[in-house]
Amino acid sequence: MSSHTPEKLAYMANQIARNLAEQADPAAAVASHIRTFWNPAMIAALARAGATGLEPAAEQALRSLAPDAG
Amino acid sequence: MITVRISDDSLAIACGADEVAAAFEAAGCTVERVSSWGMHWLEPLADIAGQGFGPLAPEDVPAVLAGTSDKGIGCIEDHPFLARQQRFTFARAGKTRPLDMGDYIAAGGWAGLRAAERLSPAEIIARVTASGLRGRGGAGFPTGIKWQTVANAFGNRKYVVCNADEGDSGTFADRMVMEGDPFMLVEGLAIAGLAIGAQKAFVYIRSEYPHAIAKMHAAIAASADLVAPFEIEVRVGAGAYVCGEETALLNSIEGKRGEVRAKPPLPAIEGLFGQPTAVNNVLTLAAVPFILAQGAEAYAAVGFGRSRGTMPIQLAGNVRHGGLFEAGFGLTLGELVEAIGGGTASGRPIRAVQVGGPLGAYHPPSDFHVPIDYESFAAADGLIGHAGLTVFDDSVDMGDMARFAMAFCAAESCGKCTPCRIGSTRGVELIDRLRAAPTAGDAALLEDLCETMRFGSLCALGGFTPYPVLSALKHWPQHFGLIPETTP
Amino acid sequence: MGYEPQADLGTPAAIGAATVTLAIDGRSITVPPGTSVMRAAALAGGSIPRLCATDSLEAFGSCRLCLVEIDGMRGTPASCTTPVAEGMAVHTQTPRLQTLRRGVMELYISDHPLDCLTCSANGDCELQEQAAAVGLRDVRYGFDGASHLGQPVDGSNPYFDFDPSKCIACSRCVRACDEVQGTLALTIQGRGFASKVSAGLASDDFLGSECVSCGACVQACPTATLQEKSVKEIGKPERSVVTTCAYCGVGCTFRAEMRGEQLVRMVPWKDGKANHGHSCVKGRFAWGYAQHQDRVLSPMIRESIDQPWREVSWEEALAHTAAELKRIAARYGRMALGGITSSRCTNEETFLVQKLVRAGFHNNNVDTCARVCHSPTGYGLKTTFGTSAGTQDFDSVEQADVILVIGANPTDGHPVFASRMKRRLRQGAKLIVIDPRRIDLVRSPHNAATHHLPLRPGTNVAVLTAMAHVIVTEGLADQAFIRERCDADEYAHWADFVSETRHSPEFLAPVTGVDPAELRAAARLYATGGNGAIYYGLGVTEHSQGSSTVMAIANLAMATGNIGRPGVGVNPLRGQNNVQGACDMGSFPHELSGYRHVSDAGVRALFEGEWGVAIDPEPGLRIPNMLDAATDGTFKAIYIQGEDILQSDPDTRHVAAGLAAMECVIVHDLFLNETANYAHVFLPGSTFLEKNGTFTNAERRIQLVRKVMEPLNGYEDWQVTQELARAMGLDWNYAHPREIMDEIARLTPTFAGVSHARLEAEGSLQWPVNDAAPHGTPVMHIDGFVRGKGKFVVTEYVPTDERTGPRFPLLLTTGRILSQYNVGAQTRRTANVVWHEEDRLEIHPADAENRGISSGDWVKLASRSGETTLRALVTDRVAPGVVYTTFHHPETQANVVTTDYSDWATNCPEYKVTAVQVAPSNGPSAWQQDYDALSHRARRITREPAE
């Protein structure tokens, strides 16, 4: 059973990153996608959990969306 | 070694030709199986060096070989029945082995196709048009015009369809072509294909013609290279008379219910599988090689009025000399049944001749002056159809024949249109009621019904059934109890 | 509107300009070439008697009543089969014709029962009408002859009877089945007088035949031979109202034919631009749920879900609900509230629900059932073309030369459109089917796919990229189109990507399971076969790569120039009647109506000006996010209009946990659905027959829904939402849905020209409707893409994380069946259950053999999410390694098995791929038993005496 655990949010971010891997600027594409579709509370929750387990593009995107993320 | 030529036509076989042939072989003769001359009362007919003997039974063979037989008819080609004919289509009848390519070539085969191959499609069609050839299936539509329509029509593919569903009572000319000279039909199909731009032909043969089906298969296989890339395929009907109607035939080939289609669209525009299609009768296509080989003028030189060329007339029923009689249009009905046919086989007076199959009118002797010609028969409330003549003597009850016409229509109706589907059944019931208790009201109702069927039906089955019924009612009202029977 | 039969001009319209002038009984008329004399006469205001002709069918020429005389033409040709010609002089009424017609009619009546006065078609029978028209006074044949009277009635179909003794053998039913429906279930058996209509084999009755019960035959029948049972029971209709079907996204319009307040029958409306007079079994017949005893008509509330329901007044229910929502907002914050709009409800109702969330709940926590079906379509087509919708109208299929169907099963899911597609295929268009299953389109009478690519579930992107590889590397791309219409750099990037060897059909074959030669042939056919049209469904979207697949489809269409004209395009077959509309209306948490992002200050200002509240500039939560947040304790109240998320959404146990964690679940529905088991407030809904409004179908066609009868529950759904809003203190005062549409038009540029008045006048409008396209837009992107240049998007194939393995070696995919609709809330409450009384698991014979399973056995279906049981159907329609089931019945609990994997871009669930194991079973799973108990408990209602 899943809920809004950091693991699930990280999975979502990674899935986006993998699907945008062939874009010209994957990190920017991931950031733009998340900014467009995610509620800020979800971004914040992911940011709180930190970048552990994130794909590079997702991690970079998270940094641009939530500069304070650890 | 004596060479004996005996027909392998199915009528000859039915009369015992195989047994007679076996007897000749047993007696040490070489037997060649050839096509039939078309003198049915003489079958099985043996041809030994041009001299004819028939009709033979196996026990007659020793006498024939000993020169003591009383079945000799003299030189076959001089027989009066043949001498009076003008054979274009049946020129090879009795003379060649049906599936022997050498025989066919030696007798002028493929000359028409070779001529056509040197012509443009438009030139082929022009020659057929100039010959005056009209559809031999019954409607008499000019073949050249039909081909021109198909040639002009837009379509990805075009087809030639040969209507070999010869179902009219007393007709057999199509069968004799397919059994006796199948390469000629192949040649005619190939020429049609060139003319209209078709890639493929279908020959739709009724299942009751197993010998014709086998010979057409063999002839198509043997000539495949000669007509390639044009392809010919045999399709076998399943016993429905109405599938001889061209649109029902097309439905049957497509694998659909054998039901008549409304026209327009004409098959020439939208026919088989929705593509432009020339549907032609066997005799029409069989006439084409002659026209291409001998020229349109040679064909058009014979005939009567707008009916040009020859017609293979089929004499059948209660007639002394039944068989195939090919001649230019214009002989009268009386000449055919009396002078040529020799009157009835029973020796009794002729009461009626039905011309054009089961949907043709019954003609009394007072019509014997009418010439065989599309327009003349139409003027006499009749039709020549496929030129089958069925003779009846004076023992026939014409009320029975009228009833039979309705019953035939009821049995063979495809069921699509109302006048034919319900009208034919009501017709049988009404004739029964009329003959049981004649009333002027029911006679009028029968005439009204015939009017409804004739002008209301979708195709010729329902539309022509009134011909035999009304002709019987008109000429023999006493057989319906409408006037007292008079004894001559 | 009174009861008038729909006008019938006898034969179909000819296409083209009217240029042939002829005279009919002296009256001059000009019509297009190819028009029949019969139709021309009808257009000239005359009427020629007829029985076998009707303008929905090609002329047949069998009844012979319509004979006419034409100057210069022999005989009496049938006017139905005779085309007009310039200068023709036609006489339709002459003494000769009268005699002939009377003669034909006399024959008809000689084989027909004389029971007009007691016949259910009395007064609505063409035979009766025509007998009078031709002046038949006497049947001189009598009635003693052969007849077809006294044959038994075939009542096997639940909705209509077949009484062969009344049949006039006109073949209209047979032709309707062939030409309109394309099922070819009926035939004329026998010949001559014995000709009779037969449903397939001689021994078959209608129910046992191939008949799909679309009713086209019933509609076509001129007598009472094929007639709705409802007409026999209720009587002849007295009035009719044209409205729009509430089942699938085809959007058929119907005449609801009424007697008093009773619905007698639904008859497809010939002027309906989506269906052109055709229907399926659901729309025509399966409306009985509207009066089903299960409908809840009183509002109900309860404190907690272990209590029984308590019926209350509307006032109490709404006051209680508003108070609860306010309490929760106060305690947990505004983000704890959300709503779900319904694709089953009208545009106006959907608009109000999202408005309630945005203006009343002060957040963007609104989502809709498109989340679980076509959200990837919205994302993918907006990204590539600029508009979140299909590009064509349905009529476009009539000009298609190559039809590519991927991940859709139109004959079951969109049957009325499928019939039109099949007709085009019978005319010679080629068909490519990409589907793991051998759907009916692959091979059915007179239709066969040129190529069927039976791919492994989950490999759509790989297959489409391989097709693109073939098209690009073999030089089949439409360079002129690409140069003119698409972004060149993006194309170059994409072309390089798809040209990589790793995207060749041969390289990908081990992944996709598709024969490379067949795939290459299919790609060449699509690229070079003339107009190429792609139709797709949920088999495309409901994957973890759903959005990528939609974009891969768009790429293919652009690369081959198959966009921007009739006959081509990218066509999502939308599932629900108003799923397009629900999306258009701003039901997504990131978008306001017309697909405008909430972050756009200018757009927000427009709404803020109209509504007088501030709009949250941040995207809200999607359905799965709301459920996750509920489990986390931050989301507490939800207003769900017309959707049963517990049954329809994936991973049922996760949904149940989310709902159970909320404090106020408001279900607004017709029935106590599965979700209502977890609800605290139940607000009775109204059916589409009971309301006014509009639906928007899959071709962006906005059509009116008209109130046919008063709502049994007292209120149309928009009124309930309005009352709830008012109870929460919002000053809403809509008097009619037309006022809501006016507001939508003011706020939404693509709807600027839409109003109920225009829809009344014009029948329907396809958005965009605005100054640039005042008459709407049947085909989009004609001169350029909405976004400017078409955007090629590189679609990397990222396989799903759902993998088969030793524990779960089979792939489950799901779909639906003709007779049932989605979760079955409606169709299970109709006689449609005779065709599908339970969901079955289709399994290949080899897989069944390995497991000792035979057809009809109970089997356990298990995934890592859960397990359920259902009965097996052994069939080679599915490939080895693949199993398939429908999800129409709640007992099946198919979504207990599906996982929470979803589309990377939209979180559309991956219904179509679940790794499962199948084993023989002897009964329901533990979850099914527990749920069954809960379900009984949760549906208890106490009816206390009113105080």
Side-chain angles (χ1 to χ4, degrees), chain A residues 2-4 8 11 15 18-19 22 33 35-37 39-40, chain C residues 590 597 618-619 622 628 632 654 796 801 900-902 904-905:
Chain A
S2 54
S3 64
H4 253 165
K8 183 159 182 186
Y11 180 87
Q15 196 188 0
R18 282 184 289 153
N19 278 278
E22 290 287 327
H33 186 92
R35 186 74 195 82
T36 306
F37 296 104
N39 181 261
Chain C
H590 65 288
H597 201 270
E618 297 291 347
R622 301 169 174 178
D628 288 341
D632 292 346
H654 174 53
E796 178 68 20
D801 288 324
D900 63 352
Y901 286 126
S902 63
W904 66 270

mmCIF file of all heavy atoms in Angstrom, chain A residues 2-4 8 11 15 18-19 22 33 35-37 39-40, chain C residues 590 597 618-619 622 628 632 654 796 801 900-902 904-905:
data_model
loop_
_atom_site.group_PDB
_atom_site.id
_atom_site.type_symbol
_atom_site.label_atom_id
_atom_site.label_comp_id
_atom_site.label_asym_id
_atom_site.label_seq_id
_atom_site.Cartn_x
_atom_site.Cartn_y
_atom_site.Cartn_z
ATOM 1 N N SER A 2 0.463 2.205 -0.766
ATOM 2 C CA SER A 2 1.323 3.378 -0.911
ATOM 3 C C SER A 2 0.574 4.620 -0.456
ATOM 4 O O SER A 2 -0.637 4.666 -0.438
ATOM 5 C CB SER A 2 1.727 3.542 -2.363
ATOM 6 O OG SER A 2 0.547 3.564 -3.146
ATOM 7 N N SER A 3 1.296 5.595 -0.081
ATOM 8 C CA SER A 3 0.698 6.895 0.175
ATOM 9 C C SER A 3 1.716 7.926 -0.268
ATOM 10 O O SER A 3 2.675 7.597 -0.964
ATOM 11 C CB SER A 3 0.342 7.042 1.652
ATOM 12 O OG SER A 3 1.536 7.002 2.405
ATOM 13 N N HIS A 4 1.510 9.173 0.180
ATOM 14 C CA HIS A 4 2.418 10.225 -0.257
ATOM 15 C C HIS A 4 3.759 10.148 0.453
ATOM 16 O O HIS A 4 4.264 11.141 0.954
ATOM 17 C CB HIS A 4 1.777 11.587 0.000
ATOM 18 C CG HIS A 4 1.338 12.213 -1.267
ATOM 19 N ND1 HIS A 4 0.486 13.262 -1.315
ATOM 20 C CD2 HIS A 4 1.626 11.926 -2.556
ATOM 21 C CE1 HIS A 4 0.253 13.610 -2.562
ATOM 22 N NE2 HIS A 4 0.930 12.799 -3.334
ATOM 23 N N LYS A 8 7.415 7.444 -2.717
ATOM 24 C CA LYS A 8 6.519 7.503 -3.872
ATOM 25 C C LYS A 8 6.773 8.754 -4.700
ATOM 26 O O LYS A 8 6.785 8.723 -5.928
ATOM 27 C CB LYS A 8 5.063 7.454 -3.429
ATOM 28 C CG LYS A 8 4.109 7.448 -4.598
ATOM 29 C CD LYS A 8 2.755 6.917 -4.243
ATOM 30 C CE LYS A 8 1.857 6.885 -5.474
ATOM 31 N NZ LYS A 8 0.489 6.504 -5.127
ATOM 32 N N TYR A 11 9.805 8.249 -6.621
ATOM 33 C CA TYR A 11 9.537 7.360 -7.760
ATOM 34 C C TYR A 11 8.934 8.156 -8.912
ATOM 35 O O TYR A 11 9.343 8.025 -10.070
ATOM 36 C CB TYR A 11 8.584 6.227 -7.342
ATOM 37 C CG TYR A 11 8.281 5.283 -8.470
ATOM 38 C CD1 TYR A 11 9.113 4.190 -8.727
ATOM 39 C CD2 TYR A 11 7.195 5.505 -9.323
ATOM 40 C CE1 TYR A 11 8.855 3.337 -9.782
ATOM 41 C CE2 TYR A 11 6.937 4.664 -10.380
ATOM 42 C CZ TYR A 11 7.762 3.576 -10.609
ATOM 43 O OH TYR A 11 7.516 2.746 -11.656
ATOM 44 N N GLN A 15 10.565 8.714 -12.514
ATOM 45 C CA GLN A 15 9.852 8.237 -13.721
ATOM 46 C C GLN A 15 9.792 9.361 -14.760
ATOM 47 O O GLN A 15 10.011 9.131 -15.954
ATOM 48 C CB GLN A 15 8.444 7.784 -13.331
ATOM 49 C CG GLN A 15 7.765 6.933 -14.396
ATOM 50 C CD GLN A 15 6.302 6.660 -14.072
ATOM 51 O OE1 GLN A 15 5.786 7.117 -13.042
ATOM 52 N NE2 GLN A 15 5.652 5.914 -14.931
ATOM 53 N N ARG A 18 13.270 9.731 -16.265
ATOM 54 C CA ARG A 18 13.619 8.683 -17.237
ATOM 55 C C ARG A 18 12.911 8.916 -18.569
ATOM 56 O O ARG A 18 13.449 8.653 -19.639
ATOM 57 C CB ARG A 18 13.258 7.304 -16.683
ATOM 58 C CG ARG A 18 14.279 6.781 -15.667
ATOM 59 C CD ARG A 18 13.930 5.370 -15.216
ATOM 60 N NE ARG A 18 12.751 5.387 -14.360
ATOM 61 C CZ ARG A 18 11.913 4.361 -14.220
ATOM 62 N NH1 ARG A 18 12.108 3.248 -14.898
ATOM 63 N NH2 ARG A 18 10.888 4.448 -13.413
ATOM 64 N N ASN A 19 11.690 9.400 -18.504
ATOM 65 C CA ASN A 19 10.939 9.605 -19.741
ATOM 66 C C ASN A 19 11.361 10.867 -20.480
ATOM 67 O O ASN A 19 11.044 11.022 -21.661
ATOM 68 C CB ASN A 19 9.441 9.616 -19.466
ATOM 69 C CG ASN A 19 8.881 8.207 -19.368
ATOM 70 O OD1 ASN A 19 8.600 7.570 -20.371
ATOM 71 N ND2 ASN A 19 8.754 7.705 -18.150
ATOM 72 N N GLU A 22 15.756 11.926 -23.053
ATOM 73 C CA GLU A 22 16.237 12.229 -24.399
ATOM 74 C C GLU A 22 15.954 13.666 -24.800
ATOM 75 O O GLU A 22 16.199 14.049 -25.940
ATOM 76 C CB GLU A 22 15.606 11.268 -25.410
ATOM 77 C CG GLU A 22 16.102 9.828 -25.294
ATOM 78 C CD GLU A 22 17.535 9.656 -25.804
ATOM 79 O OE1 GLU A 22 17.922 10.368 -26.752
ATOM 80 O OE2 GLU A 22 18.277 8.829 -25.235
ATOM 81 N N HIS A 33 8.098 20.251 -15.975
ATOM 82 C CA HIS A 33 6.962 19.338 -15.859
ATOM 83 C C HIS A 33 6.405 19.331 -14.431
ATOM 84 O O HIS A 33 5.200 19.447 -14.211
ATOM 85 C CB HIS A 33 7.389 17.921 -16.275
ATOM 86 C CG HIS A 33 6.249 16.953 -16.327
ATOM 87 N ND1 HIS A 33 5.528 16.719 -17.468
ATOM 88 C CD2 HIS A 33 5.677 16.206 -15.365
ATOM 89 C CE1 HIS A 33 4.568 15.861 -17.221
ATOM 90 N NE2 HIS A 33 4.636 15.528 -15.935
ATOM 91 N N ARG A 35 6.807 21.563 -12.111
ATOM 92 C CA ARG A 35 6.248 22.870 -11.778
ATOM 93 C C ARG A 35 4.830 23.011 -12.335
ATOM 94 O O ARG A 35 3.958 23.620 -11.720
ATOM 95 C CB ARG A 35 7.174 23.953 -12.380
ATOM 96 C CG ARG A 35 6.818 25.365 -12.000
ATOM 97 C CD ARG A 35 7.213 25.648 -10.561
ATOM 98 N NE ARG A 35 6.579 26.869 -10.045
ATOM 99 C CZ ARG A 35 5.331 26.897 -9.580
ATOM 100 N NH1 ARG A 35 4.604 25.811 -9.558
ATOM 101 N NH2 ARG A 35 4.823 28.033 -9.113
ATOM 102 N N THR A 36 4.606 22.430 -13.499
ATOM 103 C CA THR A 36 3.299 22.554 -14.158
ATOM 104 C C THR A 36 2.228 21.694 -13.485
ATOM 105 O O THR A 36 1.071 22.090 -13.408
ATOM 106 C CB THR A 36 3.417 22.149 -15.640
ATOM 107 O OG1 THR A 36 4.442 22.917 -16.247
ATOM 108 C CG2 THR A 36 2.107 22.377 -16.376
ATOM 109 N N PHE A 37 2.620 20.525 -13.020
ATOM 110 C CA PHE A 37 1.584 19.569 -12.618
ATOM 111 C C PHE A 37 1.542 19.240 -11.126
ATOM 112 O O PHE A 37 0.587 18.637 -10.672
ATOM 113 C CB PHE A 37 1.743 18.274 -13.421
ATOM 114 C CG PHE A 37 1.517 18.461 -14.891
ATOM 115 C CD1 PHE A 37 2.570 18.497 -15.789
ATOM 116 C CD2 PHE A 37 0.228 18.644 -15.382
ATOM 117 C CE1 PHE A 37 2.349 18.684 -17.143
ATOM 118 C CE2 PHE A 37 0.000 18.832 -16.735
ATOM 119 C CZ PHE A 37 1.069 18.860 -17.624
ATOM 120 N N ASN A 39 1.377 19.899 -7.087
ATOM 121 C CA ASN A 39 1.017 20.838 -6.035
ATOM 122 C C ASN A 39 2.279 21.164 -5.229
ATOM 123 O O ASN A 39 3.107 20.275 -4.992
ATOM 124 C CB ASN A 39 -0.046 20.184 -5.144
ATOM 125 C CG ASN A 39 -0.482 21.114 -4.040
ATOM 126 O OD1 ASN A 39 -0.010 20.992 -2.904
ATOM 127 N ND2 ASN A 39 -1.367 22.038 -4.369
ATOM 128 N N PRO A 40 2.436 22.413 -4.831
ATOM 129 C CA PRO A 40 3.655 22.803 -4.106
ATOM 130 C C PRO A 40 3.903 21.945 -2.862
ATOM 131 O O PRO A 40 5.066 21.716 -2.495
ATOM 132 C CB PRO A 40 3.381 24.255 -3.715
ATOM 133 C CG PRO A 40 2.392 24.745 -4.706
ATOM 134 C CD PRO A 40 1.553 23.566 -5.082
ATOM 135 N N HIS C 590 -4.532 21.630 -12.606
ATOM 136 C CA HIS C 590 -3.574 22.644 -13.041
ATOM 137 C C HIS C 590 -4.152 23.600 -14.075
ATOM 138 O O HIS C 590 -3.470 24.497 -14.531
ATOM 139 C CB HIS C 590 -2.317 21.985 -13.611
ATOM 140 C CG HIS C 590 -2.563 21.201 -14.868
ATOM 141 N ND1 HIS C 590 -3.226 20.009 -14.871
ATOM 142 C CD2 HIS C 590 -2.271 21.478 -16.160
ATOM 143 C CE1 HIS C 590 -3.313 19.548 -16.108
ATOM 144 N NE2 HIS C 590 -2.750 20.428 -16.916
ATOM 145 N N HIS C 597 -3.368 27.284 -17.929
ATOM 146 C CA HIS C 597 -2.736 26.935 -16.653
ATOM 147 C C HIS C 597 -3.092 27.952 -15.565
ATOM 148 O O HIS C 597 -3.188 29.153 -15.836
ATOM 149 C CB HIS C 597 -1.211 26.858 -16.834
ATOM 150 C CG HIS C 597 -0.552 26.050 -15.766
ATOM 151 N ND1 HIS C 597 -0.100 26.588 -14.601
ATOM 152 C CD2 HIS C 597 -0.315 24.710 -15.681
ATOM 153 C CE1 HIS C 597 0.418 25.625 -13.827
ATOM 154 N NE2 HIS C 597 0.291 24.469 -14.470
ATOM 155 N N GLU C 618 -1.486 27.986 -7.760
ATOM 156 C CA GLU C 618 -0.709 26.739 -7.748
ATOM 157 C C GLU C 618 -1.584 25.560 -8.151
ATOM 158 O O GLU C 618 -2.757 25.495 -7.772
ATOM 159 C CB GLU C 618 -0.148 26.482 -6.347
ATOM 160 C CG GLU C 618 0.830 27.526 -5.877
ATOM 161 C CD GLU C 618 2.138 27.475 -6.655
ATOM 162 O OE1 GLU C 618 2.374 26.484 -7.381
ATOM 163 O OE2 GLU C 618 2.928 28.436 -6.532
ATOM 164 N N PRO C 619 -1.036 24.569 -8.879
ATOM 165 C CA PRO C 619 -1.823 23.374 -9.222
ATOM 166 C C PRO C 619 -2.288 22.659 -7.962
ATOM 167 O O PRO C 619 -1.580 22.629 -6.957
ATOM 168 C CB PRO C 619 -0.837 22.494 -9.989
ATOM 169 C CG PRO C 619 0.273 23.400 -10.400
ATOM 170 C CD PRO C 619 0.331 24.498 -9.391
ATOM 171 N N ARG C 622 -4.096 15.837 -7.801
ATOM 172 C CA ARG C 622 -4.803 14.886 -8.666
ATOM 173 C C ARG C 622 -5.455 13.817 -7.787
ATOM 174 O O ARG C 622 -5.123 13.692 -6.605
ATOM 175 C CB ARG C 622 -3.810 14.226 -9.605
ATOM 176 C CG ARG C 622 -3.068 15.200 -10.492
ATOM 177 C CD ARG C 622 -1.931 14.469 -11.172
ATOM 178 N NE ARG C 622 -1.255 15.324 -12.142
ATOM 179 C CZ ARG C 622 -0.202 14.946 -12.854
ATOM 180 N NH1 ARG C 622 0.291 13.725 -12.707
ATOM 181 N NH2 ARG C 622 0.360 15.757 -13.709
ATOM 182 N N ASP C 628 -3.534 9.812 -1.584
ATOM 183 C CA ASP C 628 -2.279 9.717 -0.832
ATOM 184 C C ASP C 628 -2.287 10.700 0.338
ATOM 185 O O ASP C 628 -1.928 10.352 1.471
ATOM 186 C CB ASP C 628 -1.084 10.042 -1.742
ATOM 187 C CG ASP C 628 -0.801 8.944 -2.747
ATOM 188 O OD1 ASP C 628 -1.265 7.793 -2.527
ATOM 189 O OD2 ASP C 628 -0.122 9.224 -3.751
ATOM 190 N N ASP C 632 -2.146 10.233 4.348
ATOM 191 C CA ASP C 632 -1.183 10.963 5.180
ATOM 192 C C ASP C 632 -1.852 11.861 6.212
ATOM 193 O O ASP C 632 -1.182 12.447 7.064
ATOM 194 C CB ASP C 632 -0.293 11.854 4.303
ATOM 195 C CG ASP C 632 0.625 11.040 3.422
ATOM 196 O OD1 ASP C 632 0.764 9.830 3.683
ATOM 197 O OD2 ASP C 632 1.179 11.611 2.467
ATOM 198 N N HIS C 654 -5.925 0.606 -1.906
ATOM 199 C CA HIS C 654 -5.361 1.929 -1.659
ATOM 200 C C HIS C 654 -6.452 2.995 -1.681
ATOM 201 O O HIS C 654 -6.506 3.892 -0.826
ATOM 202 C CB HIS C 654 -4.292 2.214 -2.712
ATOM 203 C CG HIS C 654 -3.728 3.591 -2.660
ATOM 204 N ND1 HIS C 654 -3.216 4.138 -1.505
ATOM 205 C CD2 HIS C 654 -3.595 4.547 -3.617
ATOM 206 C CE1 HIS C 654 -2.794 5.362 -1.756
ATOM 207 N NE2 HIS C 654 -3.011 5.639 -3.031
ATOM 208 N N GLU C 796 11.304 8.337 -25.771
ATOM 209 C CA GLU C 796 12.123 7.213 -25.317
ATOM 210 C C GLU C 796 11.209 6.134 -24.747
ATOM 211 O O GLU C 796 10.282 6.422 -23.999
ATOM 212 C CB GLU C 796 13.100 7.706 -24.240
ATOM 213 C CG GLU C 796 13.983 6.631 -23.636
ATOM 214 C CD GLU C 796 15.002 6.083 -24.632
ATOM 215 O OE1 GLU C 796 15.294 6.758 -25.635
ATOM 216 O OE2 GLU C 796 15.499 4.965 -24.401
ATOM 217 N N ASP C 801 7.762 -0.615 -14.838
ATOM 218 C CA ASP C 801 8.422 -1.365 -13.781
ATOM 219 C C ASP C 801 7.619 -2.599 -13.398
ATOM 220 O O ASP C 801 8.074 -3.412 -12.593
ATOM 221 C CB ASP C 801 8.644 -0.463 -12.562
ATOM 222 C CG ASP C 801 9.748 0.552 -12.844
ATOM 223 O OD1 ASP C 801 10.714 0.187 -13.534
ATOM 224 O OD2 ASP C 801 9.611 1.705 -12.412
ATOM 225 N N ASP C 900 -0.491 0.406 -8.637
ATOM 226 C CA ASP C 900 -0.512 1.862 -8.611
ATOM 227 C C ASP C 900 0.507 2.471 -9.570
ATOM 228 O O ASP C 900 0.780 3.655 -9.514
ATOM 229 C CB ASP C 900 -0.300 2.389 -7.188
ATOM 230 C CG ASP C 900 1.059 2.013 -6.644
ATOM 231 O OD1 ASP C 900 1.766 1.213 -7.309
ATOM 232 O OD2 ASP C 900 1.422 2.497 -5.566
ATOM 233 N N TYR C 901 1.058 1.683 -10.469
ATOM 234 C CA TYR C 901 1.898 2.276 -11.508
ATOM 235 C C TYR C 901 1.026 3.151 -12.403
ATOM 236 O O TYR C 901 -0.153 2.863 -12.609
ATOM 237 C CB TYR C 901 2.577 1.194 -12.358
ATOM 238 C CG TYR C 901 3.701 0.505 -11.624
ATOM 239 C CD1 TYR C 901 3.725 -0.875 -11.507
ATOM 240 C CD2 TYR C 901 4.741 1.246 -11.049
ATOM 241 C CE1 TYR C 901 4.748 -1.524 -10.830
ATOM 242 C CE2 TYR C 901 5.764 0.608 -10.370
ATOM 243 C CZ TYR C 901 5.764 -0.773 -10.261
ATOM 244 O OH TYR C 901 6.773 -1.385 -9.594
ATOM 245 N N SER C 902 1.638 4.199 -12.939
ATOM 246 C CA SER C 902 0.818 5.114 -13.729
ATOM 247 C C SER C 902 1.682 5.839 -14.754
ATOM 248 O O SER C 902 2.907 5.767 -14.730
ATOM 249 C CB SER C 902 0.131 6.133 -12.813
ATOM 250 O OG SER C 902 1.100 6.935 -12.166
ATOM 251 N N TRP C 904 3.775 8.432 -16.625
ATOM 252 C CA TRP C 904 4.794 9.305 -16.036
ATOM 253 C C TRP C 904 4.376 10.766 -16.023
ATOM 254 O O TRP C 904 4.728 11.515 -15.129
ATOM 255 C CB TRP C 904 6.122 9.152 -16.777
ATOM 256 C CG TRP C 904 6.086 9.634 -18.219
ATOM 257 C CD1 TRP C 904 5.774 8.897 -19.305
ATOM 258 C CD2 TRP C 904 6.364 10.947 -18.695
ATOM 259 N NE1 TRP C 904 5.820 9.650 -20.446
ATOM 260 C CE2 TRP C 904 6.196 10.928 -20.093
ATOM 261 C CE3 TRP C 904 6.737 12.149 -18.088
ATOM 262 C CZ2 TRP C 904 6.384 12.048 -20.900
ATOM 263 C CZ3 TRP C 904 6.927 13.271 -18.894
ATOM 264 C CH2 TRP C 904 6.747 13.221 -20.283
ATOM 265 N N ALA C 905 3.586 11.185 -17.028
ATOM 266 C CA ALA C 905 3.266 12.608 -17.134
ATOM 267 C C ALA C 905 1.979 12.981 -16.427
ATOM 268 O O ALA C 905 1.839 14.082 -15.919
ATOM 269 C CB ALA C 905 3.187 13.023 -18.603
#
